[in-house]
Amino acid sequence: MIRAFRSDENILDASDNRLKQIATQIHKEGVAVFYDQQFTESQIISLQKRFGECESPDLFMNPKEYPELFLVTGKRDKEGKKIGMFGDTELGWHSNGNSRHLIDKILISLYCITEDINTTLSVCHTSKPFYDLSKDEQEYWKSINIRLKFQNNTIYDLEEGDPELEFMSKNKGSIRKLVDQHPHTGEYYFYFPYHFIIKAWEDKTPIDHEKMIERLKPIIFRSKYQYHHIFKKGDLLMMDQFTSLHRRTPVLDNNRLLWRLASDFSKIYNA
Ligand SMILES: [Fe+2]
């Protein structure tokens, strides 16, 4: 069962030791939520940097003066151009960096500036389902390799000419194990962003990846492994991108705005 860690402590006051405990909670439960937080842009960036190195790709959704922030919104500017990422549509199950070769920025933070109470973020634990299987099943799934690549019109639909489509399509994808070990805990987890899986092998023998996906869905996406969140202003939600997958229902109010940051955990364990 998922037990999302929740707290109303002011995370800005957390000592290094406290942040280490929080990092461990995030690895273990996949998700941690902190209510009524008040951050400026610089404060949330400094907080994320206490955990590790941040992504700052300097794309259209990164404010020039705060390159580590990503605006997540369906809002558009006067010319109708997107100012944030992920738009307003439904998003299928995924985690950060699914189409990339190297995935190291596995801590995602989402901080709510403007809420839309009609939109739900769901998080599914991907490690607990593995440990609930028999030894034989575990061994079978450990023998599977998968090929991943972003394909449009799967987790979401992007139109030709959309700047998000351009950078998503640039990624070459990767081949990796379906079941891998978490770099910080050593726990096994399923890497199952199934919209990105385009091939699969049992050891080196090709198998039908679509059948494999349909077999795994009911194993992983059980309600007991899921946590659902409706963002209220001031909520900070942090997720481990190996221990969990997430999805989102459509946004009805385009004023919804989240700040998103992505980092690794390279600093917190040496602090
Ligand atoms: Fe996401």
Side-chain angles (χ1 to χ4, degrees):
M1 217 184 308
I2 190 167
R3 289 186 183 85
F5 175 76
R6 307 201 229 174
S7 170
D8 47 21
E9 70 196 86
N10 181 353
I11 192 171
L12 289 184
D13 294 340
S15 64
D16 287 339
N17 264 341
R18 180 69 192 132
L19 278 200
K20 271 180 222 177
Q21 287 172 354
I22 289 169
T24 307
Q25 279 297 328
I26 297 169
H27 300 322
K28 214 171 129 224
E29 293 305 328
V31 57
V33 182
F34 300 86
Y35 303 104
D36 300 318
Q37 305 295 308
Q38 284 178 18
F39 305 130
T40 61
E41 289 90 340
S42 309
Q43 283 173 321
I44 195 169
I45 292 168
S46 308
L47 173 67
Q48 190 87 14
K49 285 186 170 169
R50 289 176 67 194
F51 287 92
E53 296 284 335
C54 287
E55 254 172 34
S56 53
D58 193 22
L59 297 167
F60 73 94
M61 72 292 254
N62 307 115
K64 287 278 166 276
E65 52 295 15
Y66 302 109
E68 295 86 358
L69 277 193
F70 292 70
L71 304 181
V72 175
T73 186
K75 250 191 238 178
R76 289 169 184 260
D77 69 11
K78 282 190 213 102
E79 282 96 56
K81 275 211 308 240
K82 282 184 167 184
I83 62 163
M85 64 196 302
F86 301 139
D88 56 3
T89 55
E90 180 179 17
L91 296 178
W93 290 109
H94 67 283
S95 52
N96 184 36
N98 291 149
S99 57
R100 287 183 219 161
H101 188 64
L102 174 74
I103 303 159
D104 58 350
K105 303 294 186 282
I106 60 167
L107 174 62
I108 293 283
S109 299
L110 294 169
Y111 175 58
C112 180
I113 303 291
T114 309
E115 64 201 40
D116 172 1
I117 55 156
N118 299 297
T119 304
T120 307
L121 174 87
S122 297
V123 179
C124 187
H125 211 284
T126 51
S127 182
K128 293 176 196 275
F130 180 81
Y131 288 96
D132 287 346
L133 294 173
S134 69
K135 276 274 164 286
D136 282 356
E137 288 170 304
Q138 290 182 353
E139 289 310 311
Y140 172 74
W141 293 116
K142 276 160 84 174
S143 73
I144 304 292
N145 296 299
I146 50 174
R147 165 99 174 92
L148 298 139
K149 181 148 181 38
F150 173 73
Q151 300 170 93
N152 196 16
N153 307 313
T154 55
I155 68 159
Y156 67 140
D157 305 327
L158 295 167
E159 282 164 27
E160 268 322 298
D162 187 315
E164 272 191 275
L165 180 57
E166 203 180 303
F167 82 80
M168 288 296 283
S169 307
K170 251 195 268 173
N171 289 314
K172 287 201 186 77
S174 63
I175 293 177
R176 55 171 293 159
K177 287 182 161 306
L178 173 71
V179 174
D180 212 343
Q181 273 181 294
H182 194 285
H184 301 296
T185 63
E187 300 260 290
Y188 288 104
Y189 64 92
F190 279 108
Y191 194 74
F192 190 55
Y194 62 88
H195 296 288
F196 292 79
I197 298 177
I198 57 167
K199 277 184 187 164
W201 298 262
E202 182 180 344
D203 295 317
K204 287 178 180 160
T205 311
I207 57 166
D208 183 332
H209 67 282
E210 281 168 10
K211 274 196 193 139
M212 179 201 79
I213 288 170
E214 291 316 309
R215 235 181 108 186
L216 264 180
K217 278 182 184 169
I219 293 175
I220 295 175
F221 298 117
R222 296 178 68 178
S223 47
K224 65 176 178 176
Y225 304 135
Q226 294 185 31
Y227 166 75
H228 307 281
H229 192 81
I230 296 173
F231 275 100
K232 300 292 286 182
K233 183 176 161 50
D235 288 355
L236 170 69
L237 183 145
M238 304 176 103
M239 298 182 280
D240 185 306
Q241 301 300 294
F242 286 154
T243 317
S244 68
L245 288 169
H246 57 278
R247 57 164 297 145
R248 180 190 82 185
T249 61
V251 173
L252 300 188
D253 177 356
N254 263 347
N255 291 312
R256 183 181 194 261
L257 172 63
L258 305 180
W259 290 349
R260 171 189 180 277
L261 297 98
S263 72
D264 55 27
F265 287 93
S266 58
K267 290 199 196 127
I268 189 62
Y269 294 115
N270 304 317

